Amino acid sequence: MNTLTIDIGNNKIKLDYWDNDGILYRTLCDKISMEEIKREVENIDIKGIILSSVRKDYQDIIQALKEQSGCDVIIDFNQDEIDKISDKIKYKGKVGPDRIAAYLGAQAQVFGPKLIIDAGTAITLDIADKEGCYRGGNISLGLKSRLKALADATSMLPKVEEFTTFSYFGRDTHSAIEDGARNGVIGEILYTIELAKLEYQIEWVVITGGDAENFFRTIRDKWEKCIPDKFLVGRGLNYHLRKFYFPDVFLHTNFQQSI
């Protein structure tokens, strides 16, 4: 059985196509093309679509999917959907659907308490405890957001948009900004890992997001059980879709039964 997950981030939209064995392929875009989705639904016989968004302006997409995609099962991964796993969320208040989807993706990947990092426009650092429950976490400025904030808040420093070096200490203004931003994020992540180890006895770190590759190797040098997964949010959405809407297929899907 084939499914489609749609992860609408702050800057990019990720369309991930899945079969029972895992990811088939990904399409990255700035705007969803209904023509493309209709073509894919027809070509690979998609049975279900699930969408998660960090933006407010996505209801038109849900409506268009229902009217034009030709797919019968279309799920908005919102608070109503999150409430279906409320027994696994030990956290007061609302939480972003992308954070819960990443949590589900991490739970489907590895057993044991873990820190889940999504390094994008914002950086989220979330905990799954030894009972497999979501405990919340922290939200911080992402790498590019730090660079933008520095340029906006100063009058003389240049706006750095592309990373050209990797070192601990810059040799000019440009590299000093690059290394300052990158090292700041790495320091924050490593410190959070230590806190998570003390409070929740984490065993794993799972990292995703557009800037994950900037940090993965450095983190793994300090924490051996660190795994990257660029499909993490989509994986969690796919998990939820199949578990609650295609339970018979879910039992035969290549997922660890960890939730």
Side-chain angles (χ1 to χ4, degrees):
M1 188 189 80
N2 302 312
T3 49
L4 166 63
T5 63
I6 303 175
D7 173 19
I8 303 178
N10 288 295
N11 292 310
K12 289 290 183 182
I13 299 173
K14 305 177 186 73
L15 290 84
D16 293 337
Y17 298 87
W18 307 80
D19 65 10
N20 288 350
D21 293 322
I23 186 75
L24 289 171
Y25 57 91
R26 161 172 285 180
T27 300
L28 278 174
C29 55
D30 298 313
K31 185 177 180 180
I32 288 179
S33 164
M34 290 309 305
E35 290 75 16
E36 178 187 332
I37 290 178
K38 285 172 66 176
R39 184 171 62 251
E40 295 300 338
V41 166
E42 188 174 298
N43 287 345
I44 65 172
D45 191 24
I46 293 172
K47 298 299 186 184
I49 300 173
I50 185 168
L51 179 150
S52 168
S53 177
V54 300
R55 306 180 195 175
K56 294 181 179 179
D57 57 343
Y58 74 97
Q59 291 302 325
D60 289 347
I61 297 174
I62 289 288
Q63 191 61 34
L65 286 170
K66 291 180 178 178
E67 292 175 355
Q68 301 178 41
S69 70
C71 187
D72 293 333
V73 179
I74 299 169
I75 306 302
D76 177 5
F77 190 66
N78 55 22
Q79 191 61 48
D80 290 339
E81 292 298 319
I82 293 172
D83 286 345
K84 292 179 179 179
I85 57 168
S86 59
D87 61 317
K88 288 294 184 179
I89 300 177
K90 308 302 181 184
Y91 180 80
K92 295 180 180 179
K94 293 184 178 181
V95 62
D98 57 322
R99 294 171 70 188
I100 296 299
Y103 152 74
L104 292 173
Q107 285 294 95
Q109 282 260 61
V110 291
F111 294 103
K114 59 190 75 68
L115 180 69
I116 305 146
I117 303 169
D118 191 341
T121 303
I123 297 174
T124 58
L125 305 105
D126 290 309
I127 297 289
D129 66 18
K130 61 184 179 181
E131 282 79 33
C133 295
Y134 176 80
R135 289 286 182 176
N138 300 334
I139 303 174
S140 181
L141 279 175
L143 191 57
K144 294 180 178 65
S145 299
R146 293 176 192 231
L147 297 175
K148 183 178 184 301
L150 187 63
D152 290 348
T154 61
S155 60
M156 297 292 288
L157 291 178
K159 185 177 181 180
V160 175
E161 295 181 338
E162 298 294 331
F163 284 81
T164 58
T165 63
F166 188 96
S167 59
Y168 292 112
F169 299 100
R171 296 294 184 265
D172 52 34
T173 301
H174 190 284
S175 61
I177 292 172
E178 284 186 26
D179 294 333
R182 187 189 291 111
N183 293 342
V185 173
I186 290 171
E188 177 183 331
I189 289 174
L190 293 178
Y191 179 64
T192 303
I193 289 173
E194 290 301 317
L195 293 178
K197 179 182 177 182
L198 287 172
E199 187 162 350
Y200 292 102
Q201 297 76 53
I202 65 161
E203 298 173 2
W204 293 91
V205 174
V206 184
I207 186 166
T208 192
D211 287 320
E213 66 181 34
N214 280 304
F215 312 124
F216 166 65
R217 288 184 178 83
T218 302
I219 295 170
R220 192 173 60 178
D221 287 344
K222 304 289 185 179
W223 194 267
E224 185 177 343
K225 288 186 175 181
C226 178
I227 58 174
D229 184 0
K230 64 181 180 180
F231 302 109
L232 191 68
V233 172
R235 192 182 307 280
L237 293 173
N238 188 40
Y239 190 110
H240 182 87
L241 176 66
R242 289 169 181 257
K243 181 173 183 178
F244 287 98
Y245 293 91
F246 301 99
D248 292 340
V249 175
F250 177 81
L251 293 175
H252 303 287
T253 298
N254 187 24
F255 280 119
Q256 295 186 36
Q257 306 300 305
S258 56
I259 298 180

